Amino acid sequence: MKVTICVGSTCHLMGSKTVVERFQQLVEQHHLEDRVELSGKFCMGKCGEGVSVTVDGVHHAVAPSDAESFFEREILAKV
Ligand code: FES
């Protein structure tokens, strides 16, 4: 599964660093290093709705406070 987090300036201001760090911790915690590939990308053209995250190409907007529940719902449950 390929998970890409936007690190463009708007998403950075909305907390993309927190989302990246939380996802990294959760991937480690669930031993998903071989199954989930995390990467960063600059502006995905969907600024302002939340931090842009794509999961296998599907776009989502994630609030940093929702990073863990998003991970459980969209990544852990589907990987
Ligand atoms: S900065 Fe993230 S979508 Fe534009």
Side-chain angles (χ1 to χ4, degrees), residues 49-65:
E49 298 165 12
V51 177
S52 290
V53 175
T54 60
V55 179
D56 284 339
V58 179
H59 180 267
H60 303 268
V62 182
S65 57

Side-chain angles (χ1 to χ4, degrees), residues 35-52:
R35 295 166 69 196
V36 175
E37 184 190 335
L38 295 178
S39 61
K41 192 173 173 181
F42 286 107
C43 186
M44 297 178 180
K46 305 224 181 206
C47 310
E49 298 165 12
V51 177
S52 290

Side-chain angles (χ1 to χ4, degrees), residues 9-63:
S9 52
T10 305
C11 289
H12 178 75
L13 290 174
M14 295 186 97
S16 61
K17 190 164 178 275
T18 306
V19 174
V20 171
E21 287 170 355
R22 198 68 197 110
F23 283 3
Q24 284 171 337
Q25 288 166 352
L26 289 161
V27 164
E28 263 178 51
Q29 199 176 310
H30 293 282
H31 308 290
L32 296 172
E33 292 90 342
D34 296 340
R35 295 166 69 196
V36 175
E37 184 190 335
L38 295 178
S39 61
K41 192 173 173 181
F42 286 107
C43 186
M44 297 178 180
K46 305 224 181 206
C47 310
E49 298 165 12
V51 177
S52 290
V53 175
T54 60
V55 179
D56 284 339
V58 179
H59 180 267
H60 303 268
V62 182

